[in-house]
Amino acid sequence: MLEPNQDWDDAFANMAHIPGSEKLPQFWTDRAAAYRASGVKVDQDIAYGEHPREKFDLVWPEGTPEGLVVFIHGGFWMRLDKSYWTDFAEGARAHGWAVCLPSYTLAPDARISHMTSQIGRAIEAASKHVSGPIRITGHSAGGHLATRMMCDDTPLTSATLERIEAVQSISGLHDLRPLMQTKMNETLHLGEAEAVLESAVLHRPVRAIPYCAWVGGGERPEFIRQSELMAQMWSGLDTRSQCVVDGQHDHFTVLEGLRSPDGGITLNLVGQSGQ
């Protein structure tokens, strides 16, 4: 439970509470590069706009894809890009899905509302490369952006929405108002109006698309709270929503199951978990 005088900087400080986490960005970089060099077919830097970061990669399965999975990276809307995460496509790829990994413009060069629009355009562009159903997921800030795709003000077209089978947020942030009380906001520049606009918990779902908020049981309590809150809010709005608290995973190990076709988080993403 949150205290009235909550230290909001600490509430969102994942790396400060995970020993050795400062080594993770280089570890992810090296592992993703090795995966791209392994012989898996990856089409890189497909443009969906004119900005240098408006590009996505497509990881292809063997044979005709079952459909399109979109994985949106995190980094508090301020850090990282698609190149860190290529190997996290493997679980879905092994099940026959093509996987799109988009980059987007980061703060302070872009507002979060602009990133929401960019991800919508990235999905629209990727959907023209791969036919069939679409499943959307994202981690942390990417979980926020994934969830925003099924809000009542979604940037997606009705034709694309009809193809979406499910959305899975991983350790996502869905109430952005507390971020206004953090040092991060010196970069994010969130005001009340944008924080409300970009908080998925304050929106209705645009359609009854099955929704899952997946979060590690060992994460900072605020991430668990926001995941549970998101699922609870939309469960009351005629949407099949659930929150899965995954063991004692922290904010980063919770992603590891995406690299395996047998990972519970992968099976949930591709619709084979039975949940």
Side-chain angles (χ1 to χ4, degrees), residues 11-255:
F12 294 107
N14 293 299
M15 298 186 94
H17 292 270
I18 301 173
S21 59
E22 71 280 356
K23 299 177 182 177
L24 284 173
Q26 189 60 55
F27 173 73
W28 293 326
T29 296
D30 294 343
R31 193 168 66 177
Y35 181 77
R36 290 192 297 272
S38 69
V40 172
K41 182 182 178 183
V42 184
D43 290 340
Q44 294 181 255
D45 295 329
I46 302 170
Y48 66 87
E50 296 183 358
H51 191 279
R53 289 186 63 95
E54 291 182 333
K55 296 177 181 177
F56 61 84
D57 293 348
L58 268 178
V59 182
W60 295 94
E62 301 292 332
T64 302
E66 295 287 332
L68 176 68
V69 164
V70 179
F71 175 84
I72 308 163
H73 75 80
F76 281 117
W77 307 274
M78 300 184 295
R79 296 183 289 273
L80 308 176
D81 60 48
K82 61 183 174 58
S83 69
Y84 290 78
W85 315 102
T86 324
D87 54 311
F88 288 98
E90 177 55 25
R93 190 201 72 85
H95 282 280
W97 292 75
V99 182
C100 167
L101 300 103
S103 288
Y104 49 93
T105 310
L106 303 176
D109 295 331
R111 309 293 296 236
I112 292 176
S113 55
H114 181 67
M115 301 174 206
T116 296
S117 297
Q118 284 183 308
I119 292 301
R121 286 191 282 113
I123 294 171
E124 293 287 344
S127 71
K128 293 176 173 59
H129 290 260
V130 183
S131 61
I134 299 171
R135 290 175 171 261
I136 304 173
T137 190
H139 176 239
S140 197
H144 159 264
L145 293 167
T147 305
R148 289 287 286 120
M149 295 303 105
M150 62 177 288
C151 290
D152 49 15
D153 63 342
T154 179
L156 298 176
T157 64
S158 57
T160 299
L161 283 171
E162 289 174 2
R163 293 174 57 187
I164 297 176
E165 286 189 336
V167 173
Q168 174 185 265
S169 168
I170 306 168
S171 309
L173 294 170
H174 310 299
D175 183 357
L176 273 54
R177 292 169 295 179
L179 291 163
M180 293 189 294
Q181 302 181 63
T182 68
K183 291 185 176 67
M184 285 187 289
N185 206 36
E186 295 173 4
T187 301
L188 296 174
H189 301 304
L190 274 172
E192 181 74 18
E194 187 177 27
V196 168
L197 174 69
E198 287 298 322
S199 292
V201 295
L202 303 178
H203 285 273
R204 299 184 69 88
V206 67
R207 286 181 59 232
I209 300 167
Y211 179 79
C212 177
W214 193 286
V215 66
E219 301 209 36
R220 306 294 294 136
E222 177 63 5
F223 286 85
I224 298 174
R225 181 188 78 86
Q226 293 219 9
S227 294
E228 292 176 337
L229 176 63
M230 191 69 242
Q232 289 167 0
M233 290 295 288
W234 278 2
S235 289
L237 296 172
D238 299 321
T239 296
R240 195 177 76 201
S241 302
Q242 63 173 329
C243 178
V244 174
V245 180
D246 189 357
Q248 287 302 306
H249 280 296
D250 64 40
H251 192 67
F252 305 115
T253 62
V254 71
L255 283 171

